[in-house]
Amino acid sequence: MSEPETIRKVNVIGHLHPDTDSICSAISYAYLKNQLGDTYYEARRAGAVNRETAFVLDHFGFEEPPLITSVRPQIKDISYQKVPGIDSEMSLFAAWNTMGTGKVDTLCITDDEKKMLGIIAVKDIANANMDIFDTLVVSNAKTKYANIVETLKGELVLGDPEGEVTRGNVRVGTSPEMMEGLIEPGDIVLVTNRYETQRFAVESGIGLLIICNGAQVSHVVQQAAAANSCAIITTPYDTYAAARLVSMSIPVRAKMLPADKVLRFSVNTTVDDARKAMSSSRHRYFPVLDEDGCYSGMVSSSNLLSARKKHVILVDHNERSQAVDGLEQATIMEIIDHHRIGTIETEAPAYFRNVPVGCTCTIVYDIYQERGIDIPANIAGLMLSAILSDTLAFRSPTCTPRDVYVGKELAKIAGVDIDTYADQMFDAGADLTGRTAEEVFGSDFKVFSRGHVRFGVGQGSFMTEGSRKAAEALVGPYLPDGASANDIPMVFYMFTDVKSQTTELLYSGPNTEAIVSRAFGVKPVDGIATLPGVVSRKKQVIPALMSTLQAMQEEDGE
């Protein structure tokens, strides 16, 4: 049997346009799961939190969960090569050997803080090695003597290892007669054991004397070199090998592709995006940067074949249109929800708990009890807030006796007076100070679909008539833009007065006034349908709209 898949992390995610239940159930359920096993569970949000939810999080001392926009596999979900970065002063020869040892053909050059400076590929080194007519390559690259010593397996007899070759050509000195007129001041000259040749080269003002074949250098030559500021290196290689190798001592920075021209990926780049980008590049390996922008390793197209799916738990939704992007490429482990069963499919069996209560956190509370996990006061506060929000402080027809019982139990644990706290929470959500129509519209908005029927319904809950009317004036003109932004033909928006349990419904899209009139048996006035006793989107609005739209479609098809 194959080994079970190692799960790096499980994301606990609510729906798009998250409301208080979506966020609080994700945090509360992730906490519960982390008490039960070794796998790490992290609450995530699929959109911006609204003001009500922000108030709740702040009140009970929580940060917003990290944003997640997609659950498609990312670079962080594959096994890529953790090849260390190299220093910009490393020689081409050392880089070549590093590639052979690591079995890669590209290395990333980094600074002391692991920031990427560029890359060097095996073909860059091969091209440099083939350019045998560039006799200025060592000096143009400002090559350090230490690089030359290392590459030639030599010894620095005279000079500073950190000193640099700053001028001169690479020459082979055979005899004083042959060097006369050829050698110029600052040149790098390779010689063998002939004393006359060594001394002539030094006294010609060269910058570096390389003595091959392991030959000794006399004190007289050393004294002359010191007097002429000439460095001396000895090497066991013969003149041919040394002449070939010396050009490979130049630092990789001289031949690297600079960072601003390098295709690189973040650990958060999706595998799909990386695959597309790689297909148009001439390179085989690409740098990977971590979330701080520091170099992390190298990735190739073959690595992308090993992408591991992300593992997710969905809370407070089970419809594809309400879920985060890329869900079809993730492994859904669990769904905890209280809505109608929608359109999400799973490849493998998943734990699916769907209970007809007013709030997901009521279900989460029951799981805490079943598993014998104590609920901390701050977690209890989050769960209570979600129940109050979803049930409109127990006034919604979706509210069940179980919601009321669980809410009161959580209030005891959290040390909260329900009536006082509910007023504070709803008032915070209704505050329009500094908010745009788009922000208010998206604070609690969901898209629904069945067959060819597709529409969106938003809801705002208000404790006073004044706050409700202000929200209507702000959001009403934005409804057509909201429909366009969500790529749907129709939107309906509920402005619900919590205390009077009345909703004023605004709408936008083809035939929406006729749809509203037929669905709720009312005649809208000036684009507003007043719906006494209607406060629940899930139980009172969505079913009425669905059945009306489907009936009208069937009539049109006859």
Side-chain angles (χ1 to χ4, degrees):
M1 294 179 64
S2 61
E3 291 292 325
E5 180 181 4
T6 301
I7 301 176
R8 182 174 60 87
K9 181 180 70 172
V10 178
N11 296 291
V12 185
I13 315 171
H15 52 73
L16 300 173
H17 307 294
D19 58 8
T20 299
D21 186 26
S22 178
I23 296 295
C24 293
S25 58
I27 296 173
S28 303
Y29 198 59
Y31 176 85
L32 166 63
K33 297 294 287 188
N34 282 325
Q35 309 311 303
L36 297 174
D38 297 329
T39 301
Y40 176 59
Y41 295 79
E42 182 179 23
R44 305 295 293 269
R45 59 183 173 89
V49 300
N50 59 41
R51 289 202 177 185
E52 178 188 282
T53 308
F55 168 82
V56 170
L57 293 175
D58 181 67
H59 188 87
F60 292 104
F62 287 89
E63 297 290 331
E64 290 184 5
L67 177 68
I68 187 167
T69 59
S70 173
V71 289
R72 298 180 189 279
Q74 297 168 289
I75 297 296
K76 67 175 69 171
D77 299 313
I78 67 175
S79 297
Y80 58 88
Q81 288 104 321
K82 302 289 181 151
V83 183
I86 62 172
D87 186 86
S88 61
E89 294 301 321
M90 176 183 277
S91 69
L92 294 184
F93 188 70
W96 175 278
N97 290 331
T98 300
M99 290 175 183
T101 302
K103 296 182 180 179
V104 295
D105 68 7
T106 305
L107 296 173
C108 186
I109 296 94
T110 60
D111 63 15
D112 293 338
E113 297 179 347
K114 293 188 176 182
K115 297 296 184 181
M116 186 176 71
L117 301 176
I119 62 171
I120 187 85
V122 67
K123 63 179 178 301
D124 299 322
I125 299 176
N127 289 338
N129 190 43
M130 291 298 295
D131 193 3
I132 60 175
F133 297 106
D134 185 4
T135 59
L136 289 169
V137 63
V138 177
S139 57
N140 284 343
K142 302 294 187 289
T143 306
K144 290 183 178 181
Y145 293 136
N147 275 26
I148 301 175
V149 171
E150 180 186 27
T151 303
L152 297 180
K153 293 185 178 180
E155 177 185 349
L156 185 66
V157 177
L158 185 65
D160 177 9
E162 294 302 307
E164 296 178 348
V165 177
T166 58
R167 64 189 181 121
N169 296 276
V170 177
R171 304 294 189 189
V172 175
T174 54
S175 67
E177 296 80 14
M178 293 298 295
M179 287 190 292
E180 190 170 4
L182 177 67
I183 302 301
E184 297 178 357
D187 279 353
I188 304 163
V189 178
L190 291 86
V191 298
T192 54
N193 63 346
R194 290 190 60 186
Y195 166 78
E196 299 85 355
T197 303
Q198 295 175 7
R199 182 152 187 180
F200 182 87
V202 168
E203 292 179 345
S204 297
I206 66 171
L208 172 62
L209 182 69
I210 299 175
I211 301 175
C212 303
N213 295 321
Q216 298 298 310
V217 54
S218 69
H219 290 294
V220 175
V221 171
Q222 290 186 46
Q223 290 174 350
N228 286 276
S229 301
C230 176
I232 299 177
I233 294 173
T234 61
T235 174
Y237 292 121
D238 61 27
T239 310
Y240 172 79
R244 291 292 306 273
L245 283 171
V246 72
S247 64
M248 291 294 98
S249 67
I250 68 173
V252 290
R253 57 174 164 76
K255 297 296 181 179
M256 73 179 184
L257 182 65
D260 60 355
K261 297 181 179 178
V262 174
L263 176 62
R264 87 288 301 267
F265 302 107
S266 162
V267 289
N268 293 322
T269 302
T270 66
V271 169
D272 288 344
D273 289 344
R275 186 178 291 112
K276 291 175 185 176
M278 287 181 183
S279 66
S280 60
S281 174
R282 63 187 181 90
H283 291 101
R284 290 180 56 206
Y285 290 89
F286 306 86
V288 176
L289 307 184
D290 64 19
E291 292 177 343
D292 296 320
C294 296
Y295 171 72
S296 176
M298 302 295 288
V299 64
S300 67
S301 57
S302 61
N303 296 141
L304 303 184
L305 301 175
S306 66
R308 299 182 296 271
K309 289 186 175 183
K310 291 185 183 297
H311 291 76
V312 300
I313 292 176
L314 305 181
V315 295
D316 197 32
H317 70 299
N318 71 94
E319 294 210 37
R320 183 66 191 86
S321 61
Q322 297 174 16
V324 71
D325 175 64
L327 194 64
E328 68 282 355
Q329 295 186 34
T331 297
I332 301 173
M333 300 180 67
E334 300 182 25
I335 301 175
I336 311 296
D337 192 22
H338 66 121
H339 296 94
R340 75 184 184 96
I341 297 175
T343 54
I344 286 178
E345 297 181 358
T346 63
E347 288 187 355
Y351 179 76
F352 186 10
R353 186 151 176 168
N354 187 279
V355 183
V357 291
C359 179
T360 307
C361 277
T362 300
I363 308 170
V364 175
Y365 173 88
D366 288 340
I367 301 175
Y368 269 90
Q369 301 306 303
E370 294 163 6
R371 304 305 294 268
I373 303 298
D374 291 335
I375 304 175
N378 58 350
I379 293 288
L382 294 185
M383 296 168 69
L384 169 65
S385 302
I387 293 172
L388 293 175
S389 177
D390 264 18
T391 66
L392 299 179
F394 308 137
R395 294 178 175 90
S396 171
T398 61
C399 183
T400 67
R402 187 63 184 170
D403 296 301
V404 177
Y405 171 79
V406 170
K408 290 180 177 179
E409 291 299 307
L410 291 169
K412 294 175 187 177
I413 299 172
V416 167
D417 179 78
I418 289 177
D419 292 334
T420 302
Y421 176 70
D423 284 351
Q424 294 173 342
M425 184 182 74
F426 285 119
D427 283 343
D431 182 13
L432 300 180
T433 305
R435 301 177 72 182
T436 65
E438 182 180 6
E439 289 171 341
V440 178
F441 175 90
S443 62
D444 186 3
F445 181 80
K446 295 180 179 180
V447 175
F448 299 89
S449 61
R450 180 184 291 171
H452 297 297
V453 175
R454 182 173 164 83
F455 60 94
V457 180
Q459 183 174 23
S461 300
F462 306 90
M463 300 301 291
T464 67
E465 181 181 1
S467 61
R468 188 185 79 246
K469 289 297 185 184
E472 289 176 3
L474 179 65
V475 175
Y478 178 77
L479 294 184
D481 294 329
S484 177
N486 287 275
D487 193 27
I488 49 180
M490 298 172 288
V491 294
F492 305 86
Y493 215 95
M494 302 170 62
F495 296 87
T496 302
D497 188 302
V498 175
K499 293 185 175 179
S500 69
Q501 298 191 55
T502 297
T503 287
E504 290 191 347
L505 186 69
L506 277 65
Y507 43 85
S508 176
N511 299 321
T512 46
E513 182 161 316
I515 293 166
V516 168
S517 179
R518 179 167 171 174
F520 301 102
V522 299
K523 183 174 178 58
V525 178
D526 297 328
I528 300 176
T530 302
L531 309 177
V534 174
V535 294
S536 171
R537 171 172 50 192
K538 178 179 73 172
K539 196 166 185 177
Q540 296 173 295
V541 173
I542 300 304
L545 291 175
M546 279 286 189
S547 60
T548 300
L549 285 165
Q550 288 184 320
M552 294 175 72
Q553 277 192 340
E554 290 171 3
E555 291 168 5
D556 291 341
E558 291 179 355

